[in-house]
Amino acid sequence: MATATPAATSTVDLGPAAALSCRECGTRFPLGPSFACLECFGPLEIAYDYSDHGAAELRARIEAGPASIWRYAPLLPVPADVATKPNLNPGWTPLVEADRLGKELGFTARLHVKDDSGNPTHSFKDRVVACAIEAARAFDFTTLSCSSTGNLAGAVGAAAARAGLRSCVFIPHDLEHAKIVMAAVYGGDLVGIEGNYDDVNRFCSELIGDPAGEGWGFVNVNLRPYYGEGSKTLAFEICEQLGWRLPEQIVIPIASGSQLTKIDKGLRELIELGLVEDRPYRIFGAQATGCSPVAEAFKAGRDVIRPVKPDTIAKSLAIGNPADGPYVLDIARRTGGAVEDVTDAEVVEAIRLLARTEGIFAETAGGVTIGVLKKLVESGQLDPDKETVAINTGDGLKTLDAAAGAGLTAVIRPSLESFRAAGLV
Amino acid sequence: MATATPAATSTVDLGPAAALSCRECGTRFPLGPSFACLECFGPLEIAYDYSDHGAAELRARIEAGPASIWRYAPLLPVPADVATKPNLNPGWTPLVEADRLGKELGFTARLHVKDDSGNPTHSFKDRVVACAIEAARAFDFTTLSCSSTGNLAGAVGAAAARAGLRSCVFIPHDLEHAKIVMAAVYGGDLVGIEGNYDDVNRFCSELIGDPAGEGWGFVNVNLRPYYGEGSKTLAFEICEQLGWRLPEQIVIPIASGSQLTKIDKGLRELIELGLVEDRPYRIFGAQATGCSPVAEAFKAGRDVIRPVKPDTIAKSLAIGNPADGPYVLDIARRTGGAVEDVTDAEVVEAIRLLARTEGIFAETAGGVTIGVLKKLVESGQLDPDKETVAINTGDGLKTLDAAAGAGLTAVIRPSLESFRAAGLV
């Protein structure tokens, strides 16, 4: 299933990206706007042909690079001069030493929170969209598009605006007004579809095969192999920020499962390139109980994901039939990790726990991750004596309702007497 | 007017900070939690005693420092090991080459937007609070406090949480629910005062002089001299990001006027230290018409600011009697700049202009700055042939209502036929 408009690929400069390769059967295809194997319909990934520089040289080159994901340009499907093009320059977000949270959860080893809310549109989506834009430019696409329920719509709108590309984003027409404003403010076209997210997705697939979609790059469909590689930069940054060292345990939220599988891919690439020492690491996946098909399969020892109808406040993780679910199961089992889930009440509690201990206000997906971290420690599945990283993928300002229980401690008159009576001193 | 609880100051380690010095009469006082001159009631500033290293050595030390305001620790009232303490590590935000915005406004020289929405709580307040926290630690304060109408409350709550300090923040009790949530989520005490912002401020001043306020550091009152220095880091970063060069023109929003005066102070310090070449620069101030006492005085050629009752959507700039207003007038006149204002409608238009051209979603204060930038160019007050920097101090997610006019381009059924009928291709 190649797309309707494969560009000429021999002249494409996407840095070290050499070909597309099927994750299932290994068949290789030239670089182009394709996402599924023509032989077996498996998902396509980027295959690289790295320049022959040693690990020391590569490391020095990265460390001298910009404070964004483009410091890893030699390891991404982007041209070498990517940092000079107009783009949002996402990434290089803080790895926070979460000592106070760690203490509260009983850690004796160091706990870190990789806080991706510092990205330009305040979610990790800026990383993947930035990579997709380079592919869109390489394939001469003039319109950037996606189906979305929120974070991705804003990330695409903002990135297209900076790059000077047209954008046309498709969302369910009945999204909350605030989310529509966040996505519409960048001035691209924002089209509401009368239907749910599945209907939006189906429509986008139709549009890709139609002349009306010619010249359109759908970041999460026909540009998906390039887009997905952006998530690897989370792995790269975590290891570099630890001093070029693998963490022992990582907790990652699961929507489609793509981020978790790409972080694992990124860690393995760093090992292969000699940038970090090879040693065991364990990967844990986090879901909301109201949309936990991967956690269910993991706990039941199944290899097959049974799709569910999502019902959770963690909307950005609410994918009932996650495409990369089976790969997530493989990785969790291979690395000695686990997949766990928490209720919406636990998500809210975790958002406030992280805010109270570390001053980080996470969106619901971050609450899922921290809630699962807590549950994994309590159940003995994750070892608090090993160095651990938990990923906060987005910002609490985007899911303000989840924190709506936080309010005033007291209301007083503007007098010392009234203040003393409130019992705060 | 020293505060009720001056700590022993001889043992205080605040790096290069040597004393407090009156901005009006020059009288010096030992470092302590004081903010007004005992001789003339003028505002106190930090006086420095820089170590005797040359410019080249200082520059190398800064460039080797962390990607936060702490790279400038040798130029701030903070201990040398500040970066190792738990804090939000704000700053080192992007200086965006705003070519598309510049083109639309008729610039032939380079236009940059210093985008401070990338800070941990998404406003420049994280810079000033981070400096205030170091002073609070030095003076053994155990509670961090402030009066606020929004951004500052969240910045103080988050910073105190990370640092493990108690916080108690005072706000008008009838603030919008969303702002209360943003401030309350960090788990500190949040006290609503029955009254307006002026009542809140008056109450805080009373509390500082009362035993109930003992051990309390009010970031914008008794820690104000330390707090204010944080704004200098905007000047430092802009110059370093330009390759250790002064910009020719800077546009800065005005609330109390402190940020503008401190940026000017920062630029002059860089010149004195030999870190940038001395050459003329022009500083422009930006206000909303509904709260424009400084712009009014500037236009009328007056030295005295006449207080106003604010009425504008730019709430974070709505200070009707700005303490540093007279200094702002001095700086604008001395540097050949100006102070201009724009209506709320122009603010909204400017927010959407910046989002559409650069993918930056600014809060209303950023809309004021960009709106004023546009007006200054159109009126010939600012030269589009000179390199210019405009500062976006905060994030659009915090003032979502101002962008509420942005909406769906079209609503369609999930079919190609319906899409074609919408006329978007």
Side-chain angles (χ1 to χ4, degrees):
Chain A
M1 183 162 58
T3 68
T5 56
T9 55
S10 53
T11 59
V12 164
D13 172 16
L14 286 172
L20 293 171
S21 163
C22 175
R23 186 163 177 146
E24 290 297 330
C25 72
T27 306
R28 282 167 79 106
F29 302 89
L31 293 172
S34 318
F35 56 101
C37 178
L38 289 170
E39 302 293 328
C40 76
F41 300 104
L44 298 180
E45 289 190 324
I46 310 289
Y48 290 94
D49 184 7
Y50 298 117
S51 319
D52 192 24
H53 30 51
E57 188 198 323
L58 181 56
R59 177 175 153 168
R61 196 169 145 199
I62 290 169
E63 287 176 350
S68 72
I69 61 170
W70 304 134
R71 62 201 288 114
Y72 307 107
L75 309 179
L76 294 171
V78 298
D81 65 349
V82 60
T84 66
K85 303 185 180 195
N87 71 76
L88 294 178
N89 297 304
W92 202 239
T93 56
L95 184 70
V96 176
E97 292 183 4
D99 292 347
R100 282 164 41 77
L101 175 62
K103 196 174 164 197
E104 196 140 335
L105 297 183
F107 274 80
T108 59
R110 193 130 239 180
L111 172 66
H112 310 263
V113 173
K114 178 65 174 171
D115 185 12
D116 238 22
S117 64
N119 276 313
T121 72
H122 307 318
S123 88
F124 89 100
K125 293 287 186 191
D126 291 325
R127 297 176 184 271
V128 286
V129 171
C131 288
I133 280 219
E134 292 313 309
R137 283 173 164 142
F139 303 137
D140 292 329
F141 287 141
T142 49
T143 297
L144 206 66
S145 187
C146 70
S147 52
S148 171
T149 61
N151 277 338
L152 185 57
V156 164
R162 179 74 60 87
L165 293 172
R166 183 191 171 206
S167 69
C168 185
V169 165
F170 298 93
I171 58 173
H173 77 291
D174 56 357
L175 273 195
E176 301 94 305
H177 180 66
K179 284 194 181 159
I180 289 176
V181 172
M182 287 181 215
V185 72
Y186 302 103
D189 284 319
L190 185 68
V191 178
I193 300 269
E194 290 172 354
N196 61 24
Y197 182 64
D198 287 334
D199 295 318
V200 178
N201 255 335
R202 263 193 303 272
F203 169 75
C204 286
S205 297
E206 253 192 286
L207 186 51
I208 289 174
D210 188 87
E214 207 167 305
W216 288 40
F218 289 78
V219 301
N220 53 350
V221 190
N222 59 352
L223 299 178
R224 192 169 185 85
Y226 309 91
Y227 167 90
E229 293 295 282
S231 287
K232 289 190 325 191
T233 59
L234 276 162
F236 299 159
E237 290 182 17
I238 288 168
C239 290
E240 183 178 352
Q241 287 169 325
L242 289 176
W244 295 108
R245 208 158 40 77
L246 292 169
E248 295 179 284
Q249 304 175 123
I250 313 185
V251 188
I252 307 167
I254 300 170
S256 73
S258 168
Q259 182 182 108
L260 187 147
T261 60
K262 295 300 180 186
I263 287 176
D264 177 60
K265 185 172 186 250
L267 296 177
R268 286 184 288 114
E269 285 174 4
L270 292 183
I271 294 169
E272 280 157 32
L273 288 161
L275 286 168
V276 297
E277 197 186 326
D278 192 3
R279 63 172 193 181
Y281 59 83
R282 302 167 74 198
I283 291 190
F284 297 84
Q287 295 203 296
T289 305
C291 181
S292 52
V294 189
E296 255 176 55
F298 180 85
K299 291 176 190 175
R302 277 191 274 109
D303 289 335
V304 176
I305 309 286
R306 285 186 197 145
V308 300
K309 196 165 167 246
D311 178 18
T312 168
I313 58 170
K315 303 270 184 225
S316 62
L317 302 182
I319 298 185
N321 188 13
D324 285 349
Y327 301 122
V328 169
L329 290 174
D330 281 353
I331 292 167
R333 287 171 181 148
R334 169 170 56 77
T335 65
V339 185
E340 189 49 276
D341 58 273
V342 283
T343 65
D344 284 0
E346 289 169 311
V347 171
V348 170
E349 193 196 326
I351 288 173
R352 297 185 67 172
L353 170 67
L354 180 63
R356 175 168 59 76
T357 53
E358 300 297 339
I360 296 172
F361 183 20
E363 70 162 357
T364 45
V368 168
T369 306
I370 299 302
V372 162
L373 169 70
K374 182 167 184 274
K375 191 166 174 180
L376 289 168
V377 174
E378 287 168 357
S379 61
Q381 297 177 82
L382 185 141
D383 185 348
D385 303 331
K386 290 193 192 304
E387 186 168 52
T388 303
V389 175
I391 297 179
N392 174 38
T393 49
D395 202 286
L397 294 182
K398 296 195 176 194
T399 56
L400 213 50
D401 287 349
L408 294 172
T409 314
V411 176
I412 64 169
R413 293 186 310 280
S415 78
L416 291 169
E417 191 188 358
S418 179
F419 178 60
R420 282 198 204 91
L424 297 171
V425 284
Chain B
M1 181 160 61
T3 68
T5 54
T9 55
S10 54
T11 58
V12 164
D13 172 17
L14 287 171
L20 293 171
S21 164
C22 176
R23 185 164 179 146
E24 289 299 328
C25 72
T27 307
R28 283 166 79 107
F29 302 89
L31 293 172
S34 317
F35 57 102
C37 178
L38 290 170
E39 302 293 328
C40 76
F41 300 104
L44 298 180
E45 289 190 324
I46 311 290
Y48 291 95
D49 184 7
Y50 298 118
S51 319
D52 191 25
H53 31 51
E57 188 199 324
L58 181 56
R59 178 175 153 169
R61 197 169 143 197
I62 291 169
E63 288 176 348
S68 72
I69 61 170
W70 304 134
R71 62 201 288 114
Y72 306 107
L75 309 179
L76 293 172
V78 298
D81 65 347
V82 60
T84 66
K85 303 184 179 195
N87 72 75
L88 294 178
N89 297 302
W92 203 239
T93 55
L95 184 69
V96 176
E97 292 183 4
D99 292 348
R100 282 165 41 79
L101 176 62
K103 196 174 166 197
E104 196 139 336
L105 297 182
F107 274 79
T108 60
R110 193 132 242 180
L111 173 65
H112 311 261
V113 173
K114 178 65 175 171
D115 184 12
D116 237 21
S117 64
N119 275 312
T121 72
H122 307 317
S123 88
F124 89 101
K125 293 287 187 191
D126 291 326
R127 298 176 183 271
V128 287
V129 171
C131 288
I133 280 219
E134 291 313 308
R137 283 172 167 144
F139 303 137
D140 293 328
F141 287 143
T142 48
T143 297
L144 206 65
S145 186
C146 70
S147 53
S148 171
T149 62
N151 278 337
L152 186 57
V156 165
R162 179 75 59 86
L165 293 173
R166 182 191 173 205
S167 70
C168 185
V169 166
F170 298 94
I171 58 173
H173 76 291
D174 56 357
L175 274 195
E176 302 95 302
H177 180 66
K179 284 195 181 160
I180 290 177
V181 172
M182 286 181 215
V185 72
Y186 302 103
D189 284 321
L190 185 69
V191 178
I193 300 270
E194 289 172 355
N196 61 24
Y197 182 64
D198 288 334
D199 297 318
V200 178
N201 255 334
R202 261 193 303 273
F203 170 74
C204 286
S205 298
E206 254 192 284
L207 186 52
I208 288 173
D210 188 88
E214 207 168 303
W216 288 40
F218 289 79
V219 301
N220 54 350
V221 190
N222 58 353
L223 299 177
R224 191 169 185 86
Y226 309 90
Y227 167 90
E229 294 295 281
S231 287
K232 290 191 322 190
T233 58
L234 276 163
F236 299 160
E237 290 182 16
I238 288 168
C239 290
E240 183 178 353
Q241 287 168 326
L242 288 176
W244 295 107
R245 209 158 39 77
L246 292 169
E248 295 178 284
Q249 304 175 122
I250 313 187
V251 188
I252 306 167
I254 300 171
S256 73
S258 168
Q259 182 183 106
L260 188 147
T261 60
K262 296 300 181 185
I263 287 175
D264 178 60
K265 186 172 187 250
L267 296 177
R268 286 186 289 112
E269 286 174 5
L270 292 184
I271 294 168
E272 280 158 30
L273 289 161
L275 286 168
V276 296
E277 199 185 325
D278 193 3
R279 64 171 193 182
Y281 60 83
R282 301 167 75 199
I283 290 191
F284 298 83
Q287 295 204 296
T289 306
C291 180
S292 52
V294 189
E296 256 175 54
F298 180 85
K299 292 175 190 176
R302 277 192 274 108
D303 288 336
V304 175
I305 308 286
R306 286 186 198 145
V308 301
K309 196 166 167 244
D311 178 17
T312 168
I313 57 169
K315 303 269 184 228
S316 62
L317 302 181
I319 297 185
N321 189 14
D324 284 349
Y327 301 121
V328 169
L329 290 173
D330 281 353
I331 291 166
R333 286 171 181 148
R334 170 169 56 76
T335 65
V339 185
E340 190 47 276
D341 57 274
V342 284
T343 65
D344 285 359
E346 289 169 311
V347 171
V348 170
E349 194 195 324
I351 288 173
R352 296 184 68 172
L353 170 65
L354 180 63
R356 175 169 59 75
T357 53
E358 300 296 340
I360 297 172
F361 182 19
E363 71 162 352
T364 45
V368 168
T369 306
I370 300 302
V372 162
L373 169 71
K374 182 168 183 274
K375 191 166 175 181
L376 289 168
V377 174
E378 286 168 358
S379 63
Q381 298 177 84
L382 185 141
D383 185 349
D385 303 331
K386 289 193 192 304
E387 186 169 54
T388 302
V389 175
I391 296 179
N392 174 39
T393 49
D395 202 287
L397 294 182
K398 294 195 177 194
T399 57
L400 213 49
D401 287 350
L408 294 172
T409 314
V411 175
I412 63 170
R413 294 187 309 283
S415 78
L416 292 169
E417 191 187 359
S418 178
F419 178 60
R420 282 199 203 91
L424 296 170
V425 285

